[in-house]
Amino acid sequence: MGFLAAIYSTRRPRRNVYLLNFACFKPGKDTMVSKELFLQLCNDSEYFTPESLGFLKKILERSGLGERTYGSTALMQIPVIKTMTEARNETETVMFGAIDEVLGKTGVKPGDIGILVVNSSLFNPSPSLADTIVNHYKLRQSIVTYNLGGMGCSAGIISIDLAKQLLQVHGDSYALVVSTENLTYNWYKGNNRAMLVTNCLFRVGGAAVLLSNRSSDRCHSKYELVRTLLTHTGADDRSHSCVYQQEDETNEVGVLLSKDLMVVAGEALKANITALGPSVLPISEQLLFLARLFLRKTLKKKIVKPYVPDFKLAFEHFCIHAGGRSVLDELEKSLGLLPMQMEPSRMTLYRFGNTSSSSVWYEIAYLEAKGRMKKRDRVWQIGFGSGFKCNSCVWRALKQIDATVEMNPWMDEIHEFPVEVPLK
């Protein structure tokens, strides 16, 4: 019996996973933060020295962020209200706003959801955020819930991968994936420069994604999940510590970004695309890659440069985590992408800032609002996060997205983009 069960488990047909729809939260205009207002709030808080304020201004000018990103209401008060209550209010507003929208778009009832996966890296209260959603929407008692914490900005793709695996086990099910991050509880009040950078880059945002393994939902869905691939380089000490939450010299808690971050991210990306390439690249690119790899192993590496496959032949759209301008610059160079292919990521960073794990969904929303998503188009989402992790998610569009009827955070202002982001 055990032998037969093992045979069945290895040979049973794979269940297709469909993305019915998704929603990205757009905060109110009253929480909009210009660069000038951000620096003024930092100055009025009296937490930061003049040297730190100068550093914050310098980072902000080079960040790639625009003048209309969104901050936390609690952090816009003087003095700052950094409490558990305010942190809960911020996260619940984001989560419920995104979930309400995606349920409204799909017509799926809360009671029909069988799987719930929530990720928030630095804010993990008890009861968990997943428990809070179950309580608010009165989800059924048999629901399978997971709450992922501490996994950084790549956790959104990890959540999709987990939901995919659960949908292989639980037939005829809907899975709700919610990705967010909290600013209120993680505002750094010290003066360590390596820990101040996150204050400049991160902004309020979140996304809710509704997945299904029901074959009848294919005709109602936007995308089909093609592949997820997770790469974890945490066995290396440098990778593990390059994004690290800790106390500074005055016991103020913050997230330290090491100088090795870009090198570590590059190595993680290389490992991820090396594993992903064979399943998505055309044969011609695979042969070129293997040939160059063979020459590098048989000859001196300095003589033969490594071959970077042309992923533009595998994907029509690229949604790279909008972690910061330097990250996007490096990825554009490493992957040999064109400015238009980087546009969704750069405009998301400019308009919404670094919304952590949800940023890749704002990027797909941008493509939809622009009317660029055509039937059978392939989309590559790339996420980076502490640990260190580089994760990929590949989708195929099942229909052409009609921008005239689409509803997402870009729709009422998409005509203003793209914009030229000044170099400073």
Side-chain angles (χ1 to χ4, degrees):
M1 290 284 290
F3 175 75
L4 292 175
I7 292 295
Y8 172 75
S9 65
T10 58
R11 294 191 176 184
R12 67 183 179 187
R14 172 184 171 273
R15 291 189 173 104
N16 292 331
V17 175
Y18 305 109
L19 190 159
L20 275 76
N21 218 319
F22 67 96
C24 300
F25 181 71
K26 188 175 185 178
K29 292 183 178 180
D30 57 321
T31 61
M32 201 171 279
V33 182
S34 65
K35 294 177 183 177
E36 181 181 358
L37 177 57
F38 175 87
L39 293 171
Q40 185 62 51
L41 290 169
C42 289
N43 180 68
D44 293 346
S45 71
E46 299 183 354
Y47 293 135
F48 308 111
T49 65
E51 292 76 19
S52 291
L53 290 170
F55 177 75
L56 287 169
K57 182 179 180 180
K58 183 179 179 181
I59 292 295
L60 203 58
E61 288 175 344
R62 299 176 178 178
S63 65
L65 274 68
E67 300 291 345
R68 296 186 293 168
T69 57
Y70 299 98
S72 163
T73 303
L75 299 180
M76 297 173 73
Q77 312 300 316
I78 302 298
V80 166
I81 310 173
K82 188 178 177 181
T83 64
M84 176 64 74
T85 298
E86 288 297 329
R88 281 186 180 275
N89 288 339
E90 177 198 327
T91 294
E92 289 176 10
T93 298
V94 173
M95 293 194 307
F96 299 160
I99 294 171
D100 287 347
E101 184 177 326
V102 78
L103 293 180
K105 285 180 175 180
T106 59
V108 173
K109 298 177 181 179
D112 294 333
I113 297 170
I115 298 166
L116 172 64
V117 182
V118 181
N119 67 270
S120 173
S121 188
L122 295 177
F123 182 60
N124 293 283
S126 183
S128 71
L129 299 179
D131 297 334
T132 300
I133 292 172
V134 170
N135 176 261
H136 182 80
Y137 291 95
K138 308 306 176 189
L139 303 183
R140 63 196 194 197
Q141 291 185 347
S142 60
I143 190 166
V144 178
T145 63
Y146 287 86
N147 202 105
L148 307 183
M151 306 196 80
C153 299
S154 68
I157 295 177
I158 296 173
S159 295
I160 293 292
D161 179 75
L162 175 57
K164 177 194 73 174
Q165 296 187 52
L166 292 170
L167 286 169
Q168 299 306 309
V169 178
H170 301 276
D172 198 34
S173 296
Y174 289 117
L176 178 64
V177 175
V178 182
S179 298
T180 189
E181 192 51 90
N182 186 276
L183 299 189
T184 301
Y185 216 58
N186 297 288
W187 179 254
Y188 175 59
K189 299 187 294 183
N191 290 280
N192 183 319
R193 290 193 172 190
M195 301 168 82
L196 279 169
V197 177
T198 55
N199 283 3
C200 293
L201 298 178
F202 282 86
R203 295 293 186 267
V204 171
V209 183
L210 194 60
L211 305 175
S212 171
N213 59 11
R214 302 180 180 188
S215 57
S216 59
D217 280 328
R218 190 181 193 279
C219 60
H220 308 298
S221 299
K222 283 186 170 182
Y223 304 94
E224 181 178 1
L225 182 59
V226 177
R227 180 76 193 275
T228 55
L229 181 67
L230 311 182
T231 300
H232 200 313
T233 61
D236 176 72
D237 291 342
R238 184 180 60 168
S239 296
H240 178 256
S241 61
C242 71
V243 181
Y244 207 87
Q245 187 179 27
Q246 63 181 50
E247 295 94 353
D248 67 6
E249 304 80 9
T250 60
N251 290 323
E252 289 289 346
V253 176
V255 176
L256 185 144
L257 305 181
S258 80
K259 295 180 179 179
D260 295 325
L261 178 57
M262 295 308 299
V263 175
V264 167
E267 292 172 350
L269 174 67
K270 180 181 178 181
N272 187 266
I273 65 176
T274 299
L276 180 68
S279 64
V280 298
L281 288 168
I283 295 296
S284 58
E285 285 298 297
Q286 295 186 46
L287 291 175
L288 285 171
F289 176 78
L290 290 173
R292 191 68 64 90
L293 184 65
F294 174 77
L295 290 174
R296 281 174 59 80
K297 287 185 175 296
T298 55
L299 304 174
K300 292 183 178 180
K301 288 187 176 183
K302 292 183 179 180
I303 299 176
V304 183
K305 294 182 179 179
Y307 179 73
V308 179
D310 186 0
F311 281 94
K312 297 189 291 296
L313 299 174
F315 306 107
E316 283 72 38
H317 307 290
F318 298 80
C319 295
I320 302 167
H321 166 55
R325 185 174 201 153
S326 58
V327 174
L328 296 181
D329 289 345
E330 186 64 30
L331 266 290
E332 179 178 10
K333 179 181 176 182
S334 298
L335 295 175
L337 300 181
L338 303 173
M340 189 173 182
Q341 291 162 332
M342 295 296 299
E343 187 181 305
S345 299
R346 292 196 186 278
M347 293 305 101
T348 294
L349 180 64
Y350 180 84
R351 179 61 182 87
F352 293 98
N354 182 344
T355 61
S356 190
S357 56
S358 65
S359 70
V360 291
W361 295 108
Y362 287 86
E363 292 162 17
I364 289 189
Y366 180 88
L367 289 165
E368 292 184 353
K370 278 291 185 183
R372 295 178 186 171
M373 195 65 69
K374 306 295 190 295
K375 187 176 181 179
R376 289 186 287 275
D377 278 1
R378 297 155 298 179
V379 188
W380 184 15
Q381 291 177 316
I382 310 174
F384 297 90
S386 58
F388 191 83
K389 296 176 284 292
C390 176
N391 301 323
S392 289
C393 188
V394 180
W395 302 93
R396 181 186 296 110
L398 295 175
K399 62 177 73 172
Q400 180 166 334
I401 306 301
D402 187 353
T404 62
V405 298
E406 190 58 34
M407 183 175 69
N408 71 45
W410 296 95
M411 294 312 301
D412 59 348
E413 55 188 86
I414 192 63
H415 60 280
E416 302 174 14
F417 296 91
V419 298
E420 189 70 29
V421 181
L423 291 168
K424 290 190 177 181

